[in-house]
Amino acid sequence: MVSAARWVRGRLFATPLDSVITIALVSLVLWCTPAVLRWVALNAVWGSQPASACDAVRGHGACWAVVWAKLRFMVFAMYPVEEQWRAALAIGLQSAVIAVAAWPRLRTGRGALIASGLTAASVWLLAGGLGLSLVSSEQWGGLAVTLLLAIVGMAFAFPVGVALALARRSAWPLLRAFATVYIETLRGVPLITVLFTASVLFALFVPEDMRISQLLRAQIAIVLFVAAYLAEAVRGGLQTVERGQFLAAQALGLSDAQAMRDVILPQALRHAVPAIVNSFISLIKDTSLVVIISIFDFAYAVKKAVETDAQWKPYFVEAFLFSIAVYWVYCFAVSRIGLSVERHLSRADASGP
Amino acid sequence: MGVGGRLRTGVWQAAFFSLVALVLTWLIGNALHNLAARGIQTGFGFLTREAGFELAESLIDYTGGDSYARAFVAGLANTVAVSAVGIVLATGLGTLLGVTRLSSNWLASTLAGAYVEVMRNVPLLLQLLVWYGVFTELLPPVQDAFAWGDWAFLSQRGLRLAWFSAQAPGMIEKPVLEGFDFLGGKLLSPEFLALVVGLSTYTAAFVAEVVRGGLLSVRVSQLDAARSLGLTPLQCLRHVRLPLALRAIVAPLTSQFLNLTKNSSLAVAIGYPDLVSVANTTMNQTGQAIEAVSILMAVYLSISLALSLMMNLYERRVRAMQAW
């Protein structure tokens, strides 16, 4: 342990250049902070106040009242008002799904089962049926849609991605070619083109009487897109597993399929966790793109909330900052949970010979 | 695997691909039927027809009377322009941030770290919308533009720079305020500025992590050797650490450049006429969705392949130079 004075001297003032940098940065921070604090907190308008209160402090105070005024629309969008408690509960369950990975005891098959159960429950809450009134997916919106697209997307993309990664290494030349073309194509194009394809071309490629909601089309597009990235993540993990593991499994009499399932894949997935977590974070951020095909996710709801109301329109910055904060909290939580999962799994590795 | 085994594998493959072929036939059959029912012609013939829509800005000459093909080329030129500028800025800022993250100065490294952690965890679309709002609402009107001498003027209408004059080649033309707008020079629209700034600040966070990873991958023995030769930390960085780190940086860095190019497609959300935006308008006007989307995918795939190829060539050259 180093004394405070020595730490300051070592990390902040070690060399003359270092001292200059420290002083410059400190002055910059000290110069900005009062102005920022005044705008964000001291002069800001909090709570459910009318727009006129905000107009009074415009320019020197933030108008956080816009969040209070528009919160309902931002979180729920067009969901019917009497049933919004269901959407709120769904959001809670979906957040719990993400949090499941934070408990070391739940990082097993049982945890996956719990996560699936929570997800299914949240879909039931949003859709209705079995005792709840039906709400068509065209009316779903806001934070529930964002989380749904991300979590269900990841859940379905994962098995598809693993299958693609295995297919890419398969001995069957046609299967290998198919997987390679699929992965390289979907990784080489922007998500927007995939969303366009799903939304516009879906209607063309299926018979006229088969109608699929916009939300389902977006979900399928997202699943197919993320699967390609997960395939690469798993492929990277597979490459780090030594051939010796496979030979040892064979020597023990395991068939190819058993060796893959019980020996190779668990190790490969362990190594692929950082890449998979990054994929999930990107997915949470990419759900905001469904605005392009007019699906009411959280980002679109925030945008519409301020755009359509003339008295709150000047305060779009505060509204966007609020939505940025919400996304940041989720993404940061996922990245921290991912780090803890990584650490947990690498301890399991270290205990081996 | 004996003959029986190979026969079994062959049968499985054949079965799988018959299934795939059946599904494809069903899909294509439906598509042809639906297209015929709507009276839409397949094929790329529509590209020679007159486009009939204007583009807010374009690097090449384009008007509504030009063909759809030319509209696509104009959109592509816009995409390339935004991506090229974005890549340069992102690399510069990202390298600076990555190096700062490894600084021994706690304040510098923490601030750089905070920047990376914030920018990486926020959707790019929201960042673009904020930047667009800043560039269109929060900048002063043209009459009160921020000025750098008489070379550059920043206002709600965009950034107007002194540029090469069209009338007198070789001469630099300075913008002059006449009435409600500037005349002369080159105008960078608020959409372009928002897109470039948003893309570069976002991608810089990822570039910073790539650079940091590359710098950390350089063996400590190399750095010790450099220090024992009497190089200062800055000289060591410039002459030993960065060149060696480059090998670990090139592949993920190219991947980030590719991401930036793909992310430029978000331009459609703020009204910048890039390739996706042009394709979208074309799809809405002509109904030729399959062709438009194929063009989009073909272009982006070509860009991906080209960048990957360049990266592979560079890696091969670097590996040839490697002594160990």
Side-chain angles (χ1 to χ4, degrees), chain B residues 112-126:
Chain B
Y115 177 96
V116 169
E117 280 305 309
V118 168
M119 300 305 263
R120 281 200 323 170
N121 288 323
V122 176
L124 177 59
L125 183 67
L126 285 176

Side-chain angles (χ1 to χ4, degrees), chain B residues 9-74:
Chain B
T9 314
V11 168
W12 274 116
Q13 280 199 72
F16 176 74
F17 282 96
S18 316
L19 187 62
V20 171
L22 266 168
V23 171
L24 279 176
T25 316
W26 180 70
L27 287 174
I28 294 177
N30 282 328
L32 290 173
H33 169 86
N34 286 333
L35 283 172
R38 288 174 211 197
I40 301 175
Q41 290 257 24
T42 54
F44 289 91
F46 76 98
L47 285 173
T48 53
R49 294 210 308 257
E50 187 184 301
F53 61 89
E54 296 292 340
L55 291 180
E57 55 188 291
S58 169
L59 271 185
I60 66 175
D61 290 321
Y62 169 83
T63 62
D66 288 322
S67 64
Y68 281 111
R70 195 164 174 82
F72 272 98
V73 173

Side-chain angles (χ1 to χ4, degrees), chain A residues 11 18 22 26 172 174-175 187-188 190 192 197 200 203-208 229 285 288-289 291 316 327-328, chain B residues 9 12-13 16-17 27 30-31 34 104-107 117-118 120 123 125-126 133 202 262 265-266 289 293 304:
Chain A
R11 298 300 297 277
D18 225 17
T22 304
V26 168
W172 300 0
L174 282 179
L175 189 60
R187 273 167 41 99
I192 287 194
T197 311
V200 170
L204 279 179
F205 281 107
V206 293
E208 303 237 321
Y229 286 82
K285 294 186 294 179
S288 57
L289 293 177
V291 61
F316 64 91
Y327 274 104
W328 188 86
Chain B
T9 314
W12 274 116
Q13 280 199 72
F16 176 74
F17 282 96
L27 287 174
N30 282 328
N34 286 333
S104 56
N105 185 312
W106 176 86
L107 201 54
E117 280 305 309
V118 168
R120 281 200 323 170
L125 183 67
L126 285 176
Y202 179 75
K262 287 188 287 172
S265 59
L266 264 68
V293 169
S304 301

Side-chain angles (χ1 to χ4, degrees), chain A:
Chain A
M1 284 304 295
V2 177
S3 80
R6 277 192 63 192
W7 183 89
V8 168
R9 204 146 28 101
R11 298 300 297 277
L12 291 175
F13 296 100
T15 70
L17 179 63
D18 225 17
S19 317
V20 167
I21 293 176
T22 304
I23 293 176
L25 286 174
V26 168
S27 358
L28 188 68
V29 170
L30 284 180
W31 180 67
C32 290
T33 310
V36 169
L37 264 179
R38 269 199 301 266
W39 187 80
V40 169
L42 297 172
N43 292 345
V45 174
W46 299 83
S48 52
Q49 307 207 30
S52 46
C54 283
D55 293 334
V57 294
R58 192 147 173 221
H60 24 268
C63 175
W64 298 118
V66 69
V67 174
W68 262 265
K70 294 287 173 185
L71 189 63
R72 188 177 276 274
F73 188 79
M74 289 197 251
V75 174
F76 299 115
M78 317 276 262
Y79 207 77
V81 179
E82 332 72 68
E83 312 285 344
Q84 276 176 3
W85 62 271
R86 286 159 50 181
L89 204 52
I91 292 172
L93 290 180
Q94 285 156 348
S95 311
V97 168
I98 296 178
V100 157
W103 261 263
R105 289 265 198 91
L106 291 176
R107 289 171 189 160
T108 59
R110 196 178 345 147
L113 225 61
I114 295 178
S116 319
L118 289 173
T119 311
S122 68
V123 173
W124 165 65
L125 279 169
L126 286 171
L130 297 176
L132 293 175
S133 61
L134 291 171
V135 176
S136 123
S137 66
E138 261 118 56
Q139 293 183 291
W140 300 3
L143 196 50
V145 166
T146 294
L147 290 175
L148 189 74
L149 286 173
I151 292 174
V152 172
M154 200 67 182
F156 282 93
F158 192 73
V160 176
V162 170
L164 280 169
L166 293 174
R168 194 169 179 170
R169 290 164 52 105
S170 139
W172 300 0
L174 282 179
L175 189 60
R176 196 194 200 118
F178 171 79
T180 311
V181 166
Y182 178 98
I183 293 174
E184 290 306 317
T185 307
L186 281 178
R187 273 167 41 99
V189 296
L191 178 56
I192 287 194
T193 56
V194 180
L195 285 173
F196 270 152
T197 311
S199 131
V200 170
L201 295 189
F202 218 97
L204 279 179
F205 281 107
V206 293
E208 303 237 321
D209 40 348
M210 238 176 104
R211 290 205 70 247
I212 301 194
S213 73
Q214 274 292 79
L215 187 62
L216 189 55
R217 289 182 215 178
Q219 183 71 82
I220 294 176
I222 285 178
V223 166
L224 295 176
F225 184 75
V226 175
Y229 286 82
L230 284 179
E232 279 300 281
V234 171
R235 188 171 83 107
L238 282 170
Q239 277 175 338
T240 62
V241 179
E242 310 147 357
R243 182 141 175 76
Q245 296 284 328
F246 186 68
L247 293 173
Q250 272 190 333
L252 282 173
L254 295 174
S255 75
D256 281 1
Q258 283 173 319
M260 189 52 82
R261 196 192 62 202
D262 296 322
V263 178
I264 310 287
L265 264 186
Q267 294 185 56
L269 290 177
R270 218 174 289 159
H271 289 293
V273 163
I276 294 175
V277 168
N278 278 338
S279 256
F280 190 38
I281 296 178
S282 296
L283 175 54
I284 295 178
K285 294 186 294 179
D286 286 342
T287 57
S288 57
L289 293 177
V290 296
V291 61
I292 307 293
I293 51 178
S294 311
I295 290 182
F296 259 101
D297 77 314
F298 183 52
Y300 194 33
V302 171
K303 184 168 185 274
K304 271 276 178 259
V306 283
E307 263 179 14
T308 50
D309 195 341
Q311 48 171 341
W312 292 108
K313 194 163 172 195
Y315 306 107
F316 64 91
V317 173
E318 288 87 339
F320 285 145
L321 284 178
F322 167 68
S323 67
I324 284 176
V326 172
Y327 274 104
W328 188 86
V329 165
Y330 275 101
C331 291
F332 190 68
V334 170
S335 76
R336 287 292 133 173
I337 293 175
L339 270 178
S340 111
V341 169
E342 242 179 279
R343 240 175 288 140
H344 183 198
L345 291 176
S346 65
R347 262 184 313 153
D349 264 342
S351 62

